[in-house]
Amino acid sequence: MGGKKTNWPVTILLIIGSLLVLFPLYLTITIALKTPQEMAGNLLALPETWRWQNFTEAIQLTNFFNAFTNSLIITASVVVLTLLTNSLVAYAIARNMHKRFYKFLFYYFVSAMFIPFPIIMLPIVKQTSNWGMDNLTGLIMLYVVYGLAFNVFIYVGYIKSIPKELEEAAIIDGASRWQVFWRVIFPLLTPMNATVGILTTLWAWNDFMLPLVILSDRDAATLPLVQYIFQSQFSTDYNLAFASYLMALAPMVLVYIFAQKWIISGVMKGSLK
């Protein structure tokens, strides 16, 4: 047989990597469906009785749907504003990289990716409090600004691969620079917009630190923040805690499963082109 030989080292590494991901997920699902009495037995065993009411109790104790609504509002707003504003900034930089000021802006934004959040955390908390931005609106604005560094990096690389002749032809036809961007460039950014949108969705939905230090109203808590509060109050009730974790985790797992091809291809295009 002239078939391809199996690369066993790579295959073994892939199997180990898969197990490292699937094993914690298996534990999360099984613990979320067990009774407290079953926790004293074999932790790896399947539940003897599937206790679906754990999810109902977790929803009531964590005020799940309020936190879910907050996370949904934040995530949707951040994605829309990020796509509209970050692409504009990247376009202005990409088409003027020959100018010293825009080249400086590009490296300035990219350098922000290397600044750890704890360094700027306390000044941000104080400033947002002074400006009355310690709410959902302030949190949304911070996400849009903080995402600018990485998004400009991948947007610029992709925009530079778009021929300038398309813009010149539109300008000859009477289009303004504003119209050129929205009618010519922005539609061509669809693959990159999908990548930025998906990565922003995963980040805004799962982020814990920024809501923790910014939000002052408990009713404005997001899902990760609610999980933290719930764990601190009911640390021994692992069944309900894991049920709440699973409900918060499920939407983003589905998003990543269906959108991973856009993430990988988009990042590669933005960094190589």
Side-chain angles (χ1 to χ4, degrees):
M1 297 294 291
K4 294 182 179 179
K5 294 183 179 180
T6 303
N7 191 334
W8 286 110
V10 174
T11 302
I12 293 173
L13 287 176
L14 289 174
I15 293 173
I16 294 174
S18 300
L19 291 176
L20 290 176
V21 173
L22 293 175
F23 181 68
L25 184 59
Y26 167 79
L27 285 180
T28 303
I29 295 173
T30 54
I31 291 174
L33 292 169
K34 287 182 178 180
T35 62
Q37 292 74 22
E38 289 180 292
M39 292 293 293
N42 185 1
L43 193 63
L44 300 179
L46 289 171
E48 296 179 6
T49 56
W50 300 80
R51 197 168 188 272
W52 297 102
Q53 57 265 40
N54 285 344
F55 293 94
T56 304
E57 295 177 19
I59 288 174
Q60 295 173 348
L61 290 173
T62 60
N63 197 8
F64 177 83
F65 290 113
N66 178 69
F68 181 88
T69 302
N70 292 335
S71 291
L72 186 62
I73 292 173
I74 292 171
T75 303
S77 302
V78 170
V79 169
V80 172
L81 291 174
T82 295
L83 294 180
L84 295 178
T85 59
N86 289 197
S87 59
L88 271 171
V89 174
Y91 173 68
I93 293 176
R95 287 298 185 245
N96 293 278
M97 281 289 283
H98 58 283
K99 298 179 181 179
R100 183 175 300 177
F101 174 71
Y102 288 94
K103 184 175 289 187
F104 166 78
L105 277 182
F106 175 73
Y107 289 112
Y108 174 76
F109 285 133
V110 171
S111 65
M113 291 192 294
F114 303 99
I115 300 177
F117 177 72
I119 293 179
I120 60 175
M121 182 173 65
L122 291 180
I124 290 296
V125 171
K126 181 175 179 59
Q127 200 64 57
T128 52
S129 179
N130 292 339
W131 288 356
M133 294 175 60
D134 50 348
N135 48 41
L136 294 183
T137 302
L139 185 61
I140 290 170
M141 294 178 63
L142 287 175
Y143 277 131
V144 174
V145 173
Y146 286 159
L148 195 61
F150 178 73
N151 294 337
V152 163
F153 173 69
I154 61 175
Y155 264 130
V156 166
Y158 190 81
I159 292 173
K160 289 171 69 176
S161 69
I162 299 175
K164 293 183 179 180
E165 289 76 12
L166 295 175
E167 302 169 49
E168 294 170 355
I171 292 174
I172 292 174
D173 290 338
S176 64
R177 180 62 65 177
W178 183 260
Q179 292 173 325
V180 166
F181 177 78
W182 292 114
R183 296 184 180 181
V184 179
I185 300 299
F186 194 75
L188 295 174
L189 293 178
T190 299
M192 194 55 56
N193 286 336
T195 300
V196 171
I198 294 164
L199 292 176
T200 303
T201 298
L202 295 172
W203 173 43
W205 184 274
N206 293 321
D207 185 47
F208 166 73
M209 185 60 70
L210 204 55
L212 176 67
V213 300
I214 296 298
L215 296 177
S216 58
D217 185 3
R218 183 167 181 172
D219 291 334
T222 60
L223 278 176
L225 193 54
V226 164
Q227 309 310 313
Y228 171 74
I229 297 172
F230 179 75
Q231 182 181 5
S232 63
Q233 292 179 341
F234 303 96
S235 57
T236 57
D237 201 340
Y238 293 107
N239 306 99
L240 299 186
F242 275 72
S244 66
Y245 299 157
L246 195 58
M247 289 188 294
L249 174 69
M252 291 302 103
V253 170
L254 294 176
V255 168
Y256 186 79
I257 289 175
F258 290 106
Q260 57 181 324
K261 64 178 182 179
W262 290 94
I263 298 174
I264 297 172
S265 63
V267 172
M268 292 298 294
K269 290 177 181 178
S271 60
L272 297 178
K273 283 194 175 182

